[in-house]
Amino acid sequence: MNIREKQEHKEQQDYSIYASLSMNSRGRAKMEEECDIRTCYQRDRDRILHCKAFRRLKDKTQVFMSPKGDHYRTRLTHTLEVSQTARTIARALDLNETLTEAIALGHDLGHTPFGHAGEYALNRLSSTGFKHYEQSIRVVEFLEKDGRGLNLTYEVKDGIRNHSTINMPETMEGKIVRLSDKIAYINHDIDDAIRGKILTEDDLPKEETAVLGHTVRERINTMIRGIIRASEDKDDIIMEPEIMTAMRNLRRYMFENVYRNSACKREDEKVFYIISGLYDYYMQHVDALPEFCLKNIDQGTSTETAVCDYIAGMTDHYAIEKFREHYEPKFWTV
């Protein structure tokens, strides 16, 4: 029995009957020889951690664009906070922590520059629409590794695809990530909004903070415990009703007072100007696309999809740099 088989045997012994066991995975689109050390979900986690799209997350906006300060969240720190929360819940419920971690680390790989403002811009511009969770699947199935993709397991891709849709992930671990994503962004966006002086702790709705807590730490702790207590020994991942209601109301408050804040909306208009400028330029100058996009077009990818692939993969600073390169006048010199 090799190390991987020992780990699979340990999962059988230690995990809940509702856990997704590595040995029961529905597998990969392309068959591969199993690793003798790592389970299939460990390999998926490692592939995500080492891919280029994951590294680019460090320079992509979460909510606040180009903030003056070192402590505002980025898309990467958001991803890590989702992973930490999700792993805590998975471990407490004796579910597959490694599968949970893989889904969490991969859930935002397809996110655009400039956060959701960039996503909304591409969604308006593309004739087929644009959703970051669908693009995340495109990244892991097709765009990474020069078109070969990461060849992840079915369960990891299912969790990534359904982390923010009306559809529910098929695994308990995917459902954990789905809720952990909300827990993370609601609370760290409050923290960043307070740091940015958009609101104060006292501005938050009193009815909700009475249930959830009066600090970011208290609220995260309450939400995590509310999931663990409600989901223990059940075949679903749920949250205690009072806590779920308070979380939804707090989320609504954030949309009304932060995400749609007038200062944020002004920045969104600038984002649309940049994204639409890049989109129009590359649609009219296909030869300016990088080699991997041109190769994909030659192999059947539509020009529009290739343009969206390129823009979605950009970091904030790279998008601004390319916009300036294409639209900022250059002084003529001999």
Side-chain angles (χ1 to χ4, degrees):
M1 183 181 291
N2 62 32
I3 294 174
R4 171 183 54 79
E5 290 168 336
K6 288 179 182 177
Q7 291 189 74
E8 291 174 344
H9 181 65
K10 195 171 188 299
E11 288 181 1
Q12 282 185 301
Q13 291 181 315
D14 297 346
Y15 283 175
S16 161
I17 60 172
Y18 305 117
S20 301
L21 300 182
S22 302
M23 63 169 50
N24 294 336
S25 170
R26 290 174 59 174
R28 309 178 189 278
K30 301 173 208 167
M31 291 290 293
E32 293 182 15
E33 183 178 348
E34 292 284 359
C35 177
D36 62 339
I37 297 175
R38 296 169 297 166
T39 67
C40 58
Y41 300 139
Q42 285 179 293
R43 295 180 82 185
D44 284 1
R45 177 201 58 199
D46 295 350
R47 289 176 184 187
I48 290 168
L49 272 171
H50 290 286
C51 78
K52 291 185 289 187
F54 185 81
R55 295 196 293 275
R56 289 197 299 269
L57 295 177
K58 69 184 176 65
D59 291 318
K60 293 193 178 193
T61 290
Q62 174 61 22
V63 171
F64 297 95
M65 284 169 273
S66 301
K68 291 184 172 68
D70 295 332
H71 301 128
Y72 290 86
R73 271 70 171 192
T74 65
R75 189 60 54 178
L76 179 60
T77 57
H78 162 72
T79 294
L80 296 176
E81 290 183 31
V82 173
S83 175
Q84 183 272 332
T85 295
R87 288 175 59 197
T88 297
I89 296 168
R91 182 177 294 188
L93 295 174
D94 291 326
L95 297 173
N96 196 317
E97 186 178 345
T98 308
L99 170 58
T100 305
E101 183 181 19
I103 295 169
L105 293 177
H107 82 281
D108 271 352
L109 289 178
H111 227 299
T112 59
F114 310 116
H116 286 289
E119 179 178 14
Y120 298 150
L122 275 184
N123 190 48
R124 284 174 58 185
L125 293 163
S126 173
S127 65
T128 57
F130 182 94
K131 297 289 184 290
H132 78 274
Y133 48 85
E134 293 173 352
Q135 188 68 13
S136 294
I137 291 297
R138 184 165 171 77
V139 167
V140 301
E141 285 189 335
F142 181 66
L143 295 178
E144 275 291 331
K145 297 181 72 173
D146 299 321
R148 299 190 303 276
L150 302 180
N151 198 28
L152 303 181
T153 57
Y154 175 88
E155 293 78 16
V156 172
K157 291 191 294 183
D158 169 73
I160 292 172
R161 179 180 287 110
N162 295 309
H163 79 270
S164 61
T165 70
I166 58 172
N167 299 316
M168 193 63 68
E170 294 181 22
T171 65
M172 297 278 277
E173 293 80 4
K175 292 176 183 179
I176 288 175
V177 173
R178 196 172 190 270
L179 271 176
S180 296
D181 185 36
K182 294 178 175 61
I183 291 173
Y185 74 67
I186 290 170
N187 286 291
H188 63 49
D189 291 351
I190 288 174
D191 194 33
D192 282 354
I194 291 172
R195 181 173 289 107
K197 296 182 169 41
I198 289 177
L199 53 82
T200 69
E201 180 68 38
D202 290 337
D203 293 328
L204 298 176
K206 300 297 185 289
E207 189 174 342
E208 279 60 56
T209 56
V211 173
L212 299 173
H214 299 284
T215 67
V216 169
R217 178 184 175 186
E218 288 177 1
R219 286 187 286 271
I220 292 175
N221 191 47
T222 298
M223 293 177 190
I224 290 174
R225 289 177 179 273
I227 292 173
I228 293 169
R229 287 193 297 263
S231 305
E232 199 164 17
D233 299 322
K234 292 188 176 66
D235 63 350
D236 199 6
I237 300 299
I238 55 177
M239 184 182 279
E240 290 175 329
E242 183 183 22
I243 296 174
M244 176 63 85
T245 298
M247 185 182 81
R248 285 173 174 164
N249 290 341
L250 192 57
R251 180 176 181 269
R252 188 178 303 115
Y253 173 87
M254 290 296 290
F255 269 92
E256 293 169 356
N257 294 275
V258 176
Y259 306 137
R260 295 173 185 150
N261 175 279
S262 58
C264 291
K265 294 308 290 182
R266 284 195 297 273
E267 296 305 306
D268 288 356
E269 292 170 6
K270 297 176 187 176
V271 167
F272 185 78
Y273 184 71
I274 291 173
I275 297 294
S276 62
L278 291 172
Y279 181 89
D280 291 342
Y281 183 87
Y282 291 120
M283 288 296 290
Q284 295 172 36
H285 303 85
V286 178
D287 58 330
L289 288 169
E291 185 178 342
F292 81 92
C293 288
L294 297 176
K295 176 184 172 185
N296 291 342
I297 291 172
D298 288 342
Q299 294 177 349
T301 298
S302 71
T303 299
E304 185 177 50
T305 298
V307 168
C308 287
D309 286 341
Y310 185 40
I311 295 174
M314 293 179 177
T315 62
D316 294 11
H317 294 302
Y318 187 74
I320 293 170
E321 179 185 321
K322 298 308 287 186
F323 181 85
R324 286 174 173 166
E325 177 184 321
H326 298 316
Y327 289 103
E328 192 174 83
K330 307 288 191 303
F331 289 104
W332 184 83
T333 59
V334 177

